[in-house]
Amino acid sequence: MKFFVDTADTAEIRDLAESGLVDGVTTNPSLIHKSGRKFLEVVEEICSITPGPVSAEVVALDHETMMKEAEVLRRIADNVAIKVPLTIEGLKTCKALTGDGTMVNVTLCFSANQALLAAKAGASFISPFVGRHDDIGFDGMRLIEDIRLIYDNYMFDTEILVASVRHPVHILEAAKLGADVMTAPPKVIRQLVNHPLTDKGIEGFLADWGKTGQTIG
Ligand code: E4P
């Protein structure tokens, strides 16, 4: 499963990339706002850190203006994936952009039928938001299960990008269900490393090593 980082914080992206944990990055208008930086500048910097897909979202609601915005965004770098909302206008934009080889991430997906539409429009990625689904009392991971089944039934190439990830269990479930990609905030990716037995083990080994009186090198 590919790991995308859901952030516009370039220091975090650089740090995680050094551990090989960044296959791509997703941004959205809220994350850009949180960064306090200029949208185009921050996308350009992220694209220079990772060769993987970097999702940059259009904000227009009509196809024509979405295409104009996409044109600006895709000129930034070859690894920009244009993010469009799951609306009819977004699907039109998806079809037009993927038709000429641009990666498209269809976002704000909350049903398996919506995911089916995105695949038919040729989306490179579909982003089902599991955490926001959990927030309203629906098990978001069941959505991933349904989409996986449907995409496999018809051999769609669209990659399932599990989004709105809030905790390590979302990532575990996504991997078990065969999601292609997950995108999570840096904090959640770092949480995956933690295990009390790892910490205890290091402590024990270092204590015994100290008793040997040796050094390496
Ligand atoms: C995905 O591409 C979105 O940026 C993101 O995962 C949304 O997550 P949130 O529901 O935590 O805002």
Side-chain angles (χ1 to χ4, degrees), residues 6 26-28 31 83 105 107 127 129 131-132 161 163-166 183:
D6 202 25
T26 51
T27 67
N28 64 41
L31 292 171
K83 215 174 183 189
N105 175 359
T107 191
S127 289
F129 277 37
R132 293 193 193 189
L161 195 175
S164 189
V165 163
R166 302 275 166 79
T183 188

Side-chain angles (χ1 to χ4, degrees), residues 82-96:
I82 305 298
K83 215 174 183 189
V84 299
L86 215 155
T87 60
I88 288 291
E89 297 298 294
L91 293 175
K92 279 185 205 167
T93 306
C94 173
K95 186 168 163 44

